[in-house]
C-alpha cells in the first residue's frame, strides 16, 4: 500500500501574486493511489498584510529609538542648562 505525504509550498507567480500550492494523493475508495490533486489558494492578501505589518513594525521601532534619544537630549539640556 502506498503512503504519500501531502506537499504544501508557497509559490510566487509573476509579479506579486502568491499562492499556496498543495499536492495531495488522489485515493480511490479502495485506498489505492490513482493520481494527485493539486490545489492553488491565493494568499496574496496575506503576504501583502505581512509585508505592511513588517514595515510598520520597523517604523515604530525607529520612532521609539528617536523618542528615547530626544528625551535623553532634552533631559541633558534641562539638567545642564
Amino acid at each position: 500500500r502506498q503512503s504519500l505525504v501531502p506537499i504544501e509550498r508557497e509559490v510566487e507567480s509573476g509579479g506579486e501574486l502568491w499562492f499556496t500550492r498543495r499536492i495531495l494523493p488522489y485515493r480511490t475508495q479502495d485506498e489505492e493511489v490513482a493520481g494527485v490533486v493539486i490545489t492553488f489558494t491565493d494568499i496574496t492578501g496575506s503576504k501583502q498584510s505581512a509585508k505592511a505589518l513588517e514595515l510598520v513594525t520597523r517604523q515604530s521601532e525607529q520612532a521609539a529609538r528617536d523618542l528615547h534619544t530626544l528625551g535623553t537630549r532634552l533631559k541633558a539640556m534641562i539638567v545642564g542648562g
Side-chain angles (χ1 to χ4, degrees), residues 38-79:
I38 302 173
T39 61
F40 291 89
T41 304
D42 186 349
I43 59 168
T44 303
S46 296
K47 285 287 195 178
Q48 290 171 340
S49 294
K51 188 176 181 180
L53 180 59
E54 182 181 320
L55 176 62
V56 168
T57 300
R58 281 196 315 266
Q59 290 173 337
S60 296
E61 290 169 349
Q62 183 60 50
R65 285 190 296 272
D66 292 347
L67 187 57
H68 176 73
T69 300
L70 179 60
T72 301
R73 289 180 182 169
L74 285 173
K75 184 177 179 182
M77 288 171 59
I78 293 170
V79 171

Side-chain angles (χ1 to χ4, degrees), residues 23-43:
I23 303 173
L24 304 124
Y26 174 76
R27 298 181 189 274
T28 64
Q29 290 180 345
D30 300 328
E31 289 297 315
E32 294 294 321
V33 175
V36 296
V37 176
I38 302 173
T39 61
F40 291 89
T41 304
D42 186 349
I43 59 168

